Amino acid sequence: QVQLVESGGGLVQAGGSLRLSCAASGSIFSIDTMGWYRQAPGKQRELVAKLTSSGSTNYADSVKGRFTISRDNTKNTVYLQMNSLKPEDTAVYYCNAEGVRTSDTYGMNYWGKGTLVTVSS
């Protein structure tokens, strides 16, 4: 069974930085796309950034130039470096893995349980 575990969330002042990590575990052969989504109170979950195994990235307009996504395919881990944080970045950040291939399945999609990021003004 595949599990995604996020870490690195917390409380930071506006203008500060945080680095989120998400490690996927299980009998994983490959993961097509790994990414980060967030959900603020009262709002829908939205894409923050995602990164394919070939290196293509997609960022939300609101984080371009401030956030950087990266991954270590050897560790099935994805990172999100968040700089110049703003109060509107406050949300629960969820890790996502798309197109996961294991010894038993192919093309599955998995979510982590989320990590809270709070940016104070």
Side-chain angles (χ1 to χ4, degrees), residues 35-36 47-52 55-61 63-64 69:
W36 293 93
L47 171 70
V48 176
K50 59 182 179 180
L51 173 60
T52 69
S56 296
T57 58
N58 186 10
Y59 290 93
D61 288 341
V63 307
K64 285 181 180 177
I69 190 170

Side-chain angles (χ1 to χ4, degrees), residues 38 40 62-63 66-67 82-93 117-119:
R38 68 186 181 187
S62 59
V63 307
R66 300 188 298 123
F67 291 9
M82 305 186 294
N83 298 328
S84 302
L85 283 161
K86 303 176 181 180
E88 51 263 44
D89 294 318
T90 295
V92 177
Y93 285 70
V117 172
T118 304
V119 184

Side-chain angles (χ1 to χ4, degrees):
Q1 185 175 358
V2 175
Q3 289 186 324
L4 304 182
V5 178
E6 303 102 334
S7 61
L11 173 64
V12 64
Q13 289 187 332
S17 299
L18 282 176
R19 188 188 192 217
L20 305 183
S21 300
C22 171
S25 62
S27 300
I28 298 171
F29 290 165
S30 63
I31 302 175
D32 288 343
T33 301
M34 298 190 78
W36 293 93
Y37 291 73
R38 68 186 181 187
Q39 187 167 17
K43 295 188 177 181
Q44 290 187 330
R45 190 174 298 189
E46 63 176 1
L47 171 70
V48 176
K50 59 182 179 180
L51 173 60
T52 69
S53 57
S54 62
S56 296
T57 58
N58 186 10
Y59 290 93
D61 288 341
S62 59
V63 307
K64 285 181 180 177
R66 300 188 298 123
F67 291 9
T68 302
I69 190 170
S70 60
R71 63 190 279 184
D72 183 338
N73 292 327
T74 65
K75 298 180 180 179
N76 292 321
T77 299
V78 64
Y79 306 95
L80 185 68
Q81 178 66 44
M82 305 186 294
N83 298 328
S84 302
L85 283 161
K86 303 176 181 180
E88 51 263 44
D89 294 318
T90 295
V92 177
Y93 285 70
Y94 295 92
C95 177
N96 175 258
E98 297 179 31
V100 179
R101 182 179 181 183
T102 71
S103 57
D104 301 319
T105 62
Y106 178 74
M108 299 295 288
N109 188 17
Y110 297 91
W111 291 92
K113 293 183 179 180
T115 185
L116 177 62
V117 172
T118 304
V119 184
S120 63
S121 57

